């Protein structure tokens, strides 16, 4: 897709301008402001055409460190613009590449036959060339309601149905494989799950040390080093959405409570599928939906689960 020719001639109503210049700020999702409104408008017009106009732009919370803006268009459709958090935001090591990870994840998900809808990437630039001040991802908006807001009111039968659908979704995700392990981004893959896991754990421990969190660091490192050989049993790298669960922010349902969409889950890696939170205390209905052939035993599962 060709990049828009950017000018400063376009403008938004003052009401929309204020949403960009003074967006809400929370402790864990610090918004970047101000955004280059004219450049964004030009980009959108180059994609949607001159006959469609922008009705509204609003900041939304996604549960991730990336910042999302929902953009309503005059044809009653919506798109989502995502940008990194403010430069001064204090991030964990793995969060520093959250936008690039999310873009990589979308591209992999778009290539798979999933049981739910996922955002489709319309445009992206991980440099500042297109918008002038910030990297971005522009995607379609997946329709639906946040499952987490309705799940508590579901009947037992509806919860079992959701668990079964979540198992089906997990199975379709397991079809995505890689010859190497580790983060989706940056591209520093390793052929060993043991090396990838230990490196990611060490990164988390260093984050904790940076803020002087009281933990038995050496005991943890010694324990992991002792049991790490069990991780060599994992030789098949699958895409793992670490936070995937019924209470995940990105899961969407329809008016009847059926699972219909996966809006965002930037915390993803190539690794052992059982690292995903969805396997914790999963009900029988979950495994009814999951194709067991997609989750072949890889050995020493009890030790891997403890790690």
């Amino acid at each position: 897709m060709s990049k828009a020719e950017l000018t400063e001639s376009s403008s938004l109503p003052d009401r929309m301008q204020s949403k960009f210049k003074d967006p809400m700020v929370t402790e864990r999702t610090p918004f970047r402001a101000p955004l280059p409104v004219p450049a964004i408008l030009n980009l959108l017009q180059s994609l949607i055409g001159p006959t469609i106009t922008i009705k509204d732009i609003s900041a939304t919370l996604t549960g991730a460190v990336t910042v999302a803006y929902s953009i309503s268009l005059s044809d009653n459709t919506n798109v989502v613009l995502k940008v990194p958090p403010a430069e001064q935001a204090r991030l964990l090591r793995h969060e520093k590449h959250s936008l690039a990870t999310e873009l990589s994840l979308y591209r992999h998900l778009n290539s798979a036959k999933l049981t739910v809808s996922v955002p489709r990437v319309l445009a992206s630039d991980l440099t500042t060339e297109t918008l002038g001040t910030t990297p971005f991802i522009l995607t379609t908006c997946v329709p639906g309601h946040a499952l987490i807001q309705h799940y508590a009111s579901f009947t037992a039968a509806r919860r079992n149905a959701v668990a079964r659908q979540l198992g089906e979704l997990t199975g379709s995700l397991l079809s995505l494989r890689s010859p190497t392990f580790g983060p989706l981004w940056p591209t520093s893959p390793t052929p060993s799950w043991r090396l990838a896991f230990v490196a990611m754990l060490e990164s988390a421990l260093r984050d904790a040390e940076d803020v002087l969190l009281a933990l038995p660091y050496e005991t943890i490192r010694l324990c992991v080093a002792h049991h790490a050989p069990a991780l060599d049993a994992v030789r098949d790298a699958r895409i793992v959405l670490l936070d995937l669960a019924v209470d995940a922010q990105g899961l969407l349902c329809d008016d009847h409570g059926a699972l219909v969409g996966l809006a965002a889950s930037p915390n993803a890696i190539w690794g052992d599928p059982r690292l995903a939170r969805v396997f914790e205390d999963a009900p029988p209905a979950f495994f009814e939906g999951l194709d067991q052939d997609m989750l072949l035993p890889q050995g020493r599962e009890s030790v891997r689960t403890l790690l």
Side-chain angles (χ1 to χ4, degrees), residues 100-253:
T101 297
E102 194 162 348
L103 176 60
S104 179
L105 176 63
Y106 287 151
R107 286 173 173 167
H108 286 298
L109 296 183
N110 290 162
S111 69
K113 294 181 179 179
L114 301 183
T115 57
V116 300
S117 299
V118 295
R120 180 169 56 88
V121 177
L122 299 173
S124 65
D125 187 353
L126 296 181
T127 71
T128 60
E129 182 178 348
T130 301
L131 294 186
T133 60
T134 181
F136 75 94
I137 305 173
L138 184 71
T139 73
T140 56
C141 181
V142 179
H145 312 289
L147 178 66
I148 189 174
Q149 295 180 3
H150 301 275
Y151 187 78
S153 64
F154 286 174
T155 63
R158 170 46 53 194
R159 291 189 182 191
N160 280 334
V162 169
R164 194 172 296 108
Q165 288 182 299
L166 199 52
E168 293 171 353
L169 171 59
T170 301
S172 61
L173 289 169
L174 291 179
S175 66
L176 293 168
R177 308 186 184 194
S178 171
T180 56
F181 297 89
L184 271 63
W185 191 279
T187 52
S188 54
T190 171
S192 164
W193 173 231
R194 187 210 301 204
L195 293 178
F197 179 87
V198 171
M200 289 186 291
L201 177 63
E202 181 61 28
S203 177
L205 291 175
R206 289 176 62 189
D207 284 329
E209 288 176 325
D210 287 346
V211 294
L212 305 179
L213 191 63
L215 291 174
Y217 294 101
E218 292 311 309
T219 300
I220 294 173
R221 289 184 172 105
L222 288 172
C223 181
V224 170
H226 178 72
H227 293 289
L231 301 178
D232 289 334
V234 180
R235 298 184 179 90
D236 192 8
R238 312 288 184 94
I239 205 160
V240 183
L241 306 189
L242 297 173
D243 297 329
L244 185 64
V246 292
D247 60 350
Q249 290 280 353
L251 284 178
L252 302 174
C253 64

Side-chain angles (χ1 to χ4, degrees), residues 233-298:
V234 180
R235 298 184 179 90
D236 192 8
R238 312 288 184 94
I239 205 160
V240 183
L241 306 189
L242 297 173
D243 297 329
L244 185 64
V246 292
D247 60 350
Q249 290 280 353
L251 284 178
L252 302 174
C253 64
D254 62 15
D255 293 337
H256 305 289
L259 200 60
V260 294
L262 178 63
S265 184
N267 199 8
I269 62 169
W270 294 111
D272 183 352
R274 291 195 178 274
L275 197 62
R277 193 159 61 89
V278 71
F279 286 99
E280 297 178 8
D281 302 318
F286 170 81
F287 293 100
E288 291 173 7
L290 177 65
D291 182 355
Q292 296 295 316
D293 291 337
M294 299 295 293
L295 194 64
L296 295 175
Q298 302 192 66

Side-chain angles (χ1 to χ4, degrees), residues 42-91:
N42 284 335
L43 172 66
L44 289 169
Q45 294 290 0
S46 74
L47 295 172
I48 63 182
T51 60
I52 298 178
T53 59
I54 298 172
K55 292 167 57 179
D56 195 20
I57 303 175
S58 59
T60 62
L61 295 177
T62 64
V65 296
T66 48
V67 182
Y69 291 93
S70 176
I71 303 176
S72 301
L73 306 177
S74 58
D75 62 352
N76 295 321
T77 62
N78 293 276
V79 294
V80 177
L81 177 73
K82 292 195 173 183
V83 298
E87 291 181 357
Q88 65 269 26
R90 185 167 188 170
L91 302 175

